[in-house]
Amino acid sequence: MDIEAIKINIGTEIQDLASLEALEELRVKYLGRKGVLAELTGSIPGLPVEARAAFGQSVNALKNKITLLIEEKKKLLAAPAAGGSAERVDIGMPGIVHEPGRLHPLTQVTREICAIFTRMGFSIIEGPEIETEFNNFTGLNIPLEHPSREAFDTFYLKADHRAPTTDHLLLRSHTSPVQIRVMKEKKPPLAVVVPGRVYRPDAVDASHSFMFHQIEGFIVDKNIRFSDLKGILEFFAKQVFGQDILMRFRPHFFPFTEPSAEVDISCVICKAKGCSACGRKGWIEILGSGMIHPNVFKHVGYDPKKYSGFAFGMGVERIAMLKYGINDIRLFYENDLRFLKQF
Ligand code: PHE
């Protein structure tokens, strides 16, 4: 066989092989004891003396080249996933799917609610989750003996919260302390919404969690009246639950508002007729509200004769549960994708 012809064709010949067995056959054919190259070497003694050395070198060079090509091909065939030739790429294999992320339903509802208020001119302000006893209670006109100050209703950072000082640190039990922070820092007119986490040592069940989310809102200015509170909350509730819901203000008590009211909407499921979702009452409570108590203004250095204001606070989980018909608060915190993907 002609050395030049082998040199030219050996590359493609090896490239076309599809298995290790075929490669081994080729190796035997060229490099084996009775192979092509052995035959070429064996023909050297028959050559003219001057030609022998050059011929011998060519045969050696060819032998090295074939050995190298076989080694390379062997690696490719042995590691098919690395893909040397196009045929070995599995085009039927599913690719890596990058699913777009999305916002948690509580984040979505929080943003939706805040947007309703910012469209009416409210600013969004956040406060810390670790609060002072003053901001969480005292400044809000909540007296020392009030049950909500007990350790079974509030998480204190130190166990000796009954020591004779009122400025222990705690995990805020509502977003109302941000009223104190904002009013201490700014002068009226104010229109603010405060989204954030709050904490209460409640046993976890379908409607309670030791941590949940609230949105506080308040306005302070001259001549703010209860009718302003009613108008704004009615606008808000209709934006969230639809124009045809009914709303009612039920007298209530909060130490930091006077008068105070709890706000109910007509049951979104039975339309105020009474069903199991609303406990046959036809109404569902959605928030607490009232006119800011003069004592709160005194604590922050506002003149209660000059200014008036209203405040309200709602639970985000509650609004989201009503809006989407969710019956267990724990679903929000379990991070089960089957739940989260629905929003
Ligand atoms: N802070 C109250 C609560 O957590 C809600 C509230 C806020 C009531 C503002 C009146 C005014 O229950």
Side-chain angles (χ1 to χ4, degrees):
M1 224 190 265
D2 170 7
I3 293 189
E4 285 312 307
I6 299 174
K7 251 193 204 165
I8 292 169
N9 296 320
I10 190 71
T12 24
E13 198 178 337
I14 292 181
Q15 202 174 35
D16 289 346
L17 298 178
S19 70
L20 286 168
E21 292 74 37
L23 185 65
E24 175 59 13
E25 264 171 41
L26 177 132
R27 191 191 65 78
V28 173
K29 175 179 160 197
Y30 284 99
L31 306 179
R33 261 194 303 129
K34 290 181 184 154
V36 176
L37 273 86
E39 202 178 300
L40 287 168
T41 310
S43 70
I44 293 177
L47 294 174
V49 182
E50 334 75 72
R52 286 182 197 168
F55 187 83
Q57 276 171 17
S58 308
V59 174
N60 257 336
L62 183 61
K63 194 175 165 185
N64 290 340
K65 179 178 171 161
I66 296 175
T67 308
L68 205 74
L69 288 173
I70 288 176
E71 279 313 305
E72 279 174 5
K73 184 68 181 181
K74 208 183 240 173
K75 278 185 207 151
L76 283 182
L77 289 174
S85 55
E87 292 78 15
R88 302 201 72 84
V89 173
D90 180 3
I91 57 168
M93 192 171 84
I96 299 166
V97 180
H98 293 283
E99 283 193 64
R102 63 187 81 199
L103 296 173
H104 190 280
L106 291 176
T107 307
Q108 290 185 35
V109 171
T110 299
R111 290 192 184 181
E112 185 189 328
I113 293 170
C114 286
I116 294 167
F117 287 103
T118 52
R119 282 202 292 275
M120 292 191 274
F122 285 72
S123 314
I124 299 173
I125 298 182
E126 290 177 302
E129 291 168 31
I130 294 178
E131 259 301 359
T132 61
E133 198 172 349
F134 181 86
N135 289 342
N136 199 79
F137 294 124
T138 316
L140 288 165
N141 196 39
I142 301 176
L144 262 180
E145 65 278 10
H146 195 278
S148 68
R149 294 176 87 129
E150 295 289 343
F152 51 78
D153 274 319
T154 298
F155 286 112
Y156 288 86
L157 269 61
K158 285 210 179 104
D160 65 340
H161 72 281
R162 276 295 165 219
T165 148
T166 59
D167 233 9
H168 298 99
L169 292 177
L170 45 79
L171 294 182
R172 66 180 178 191
S173 57
H174 51 176
T175 42
S176 302
V178 187
Q179 288 185 37
I180 305 298
R181 288 180 173 270
V182 173
M183 288 193 261
K184 268 189 168 169
E185 206 181 286
K186 298 178 198 285
K187 294 274 153 274
L190 288 174
V192 175
V193 277
V194 182
R197 287 195 185 94
V198 301
Y199 300 83
R200 291 179 194 177
D202 283 331
V204 176
D205 63 23
S207 52
H208 293 85
S209 165
F210 52 85
M211 183 280 305
F212 58 101
H213 299 73
Q214 284 191 333
I215 295 178
E216 187 88 5
F218 57 97
I219 281 190
V220 184
D221 201 351
K222 289 172 182 153
N223 300 317
I224 297 294
R225 295 160 303 173
F226 198 86
S227 53
D228 296 315
L229 171 66
K230 286 187 85 171
I232 278 180
L233 288 182
E234 187 169 348
F235 177 80
F236 153 76
K238 289 190 168 172
Q239 290 283 307
V240 176
F241 296 107
Q243 293 300 317
D244 51 352
I245 56 131
L246 303 169
M247 215 176 168
R248 73 176 184 189
F249 282 67
R250 209 167 11 83
H252 196 72
F253 173 79
F254 296 106
F256 36 95
T257 48
E258 181 60 33
S260 304
E262 277 192 333
V263 175
D264 300 339
I265 57 165
S266 50
C267 176
V268 278
I269 291 160
C270 65
K271 308 248 179 291
K273 286 190 197 71
C275 68
S276 60
C278 57
R280 326 237 164 258
K281 292 196 280 278
W283 296 91
I284 296 175
E285 180 217 322
I286 58 163
L287 54 85
S289 67
M291 302 306 289
I292 296 174
H293 198 287
N295 287 350
V296 174
F297 284 147
K298 282 181 203 154
H299 276 300
V300 297
Y302 285 5
D303 181 354
K305 293 204 179 67
K306 196 168 157 197
Y307 295 113
S308 56
F310 66 72
F312 57 86
M314 66 184 93
V316 180
E317 280 80 349
R318 199 185 171 89
I319 305 279
M321 287 167 85
L322 289 173
K323 189 176 154 77
Y324 295 119
I326 297 165
N327 58 14
D328 194 321
I329 197 172
R330 290 167 291 201
L331 289 165
F332 289 120
Y333 316 122
E334 285 165 353
N335 276 341
D336 187 329
L337 286 178
R338 292 169 300 182
F339 172 74
L340 296 175
K341 276 181 175 175
Q342 296 175 55
F343 303 95

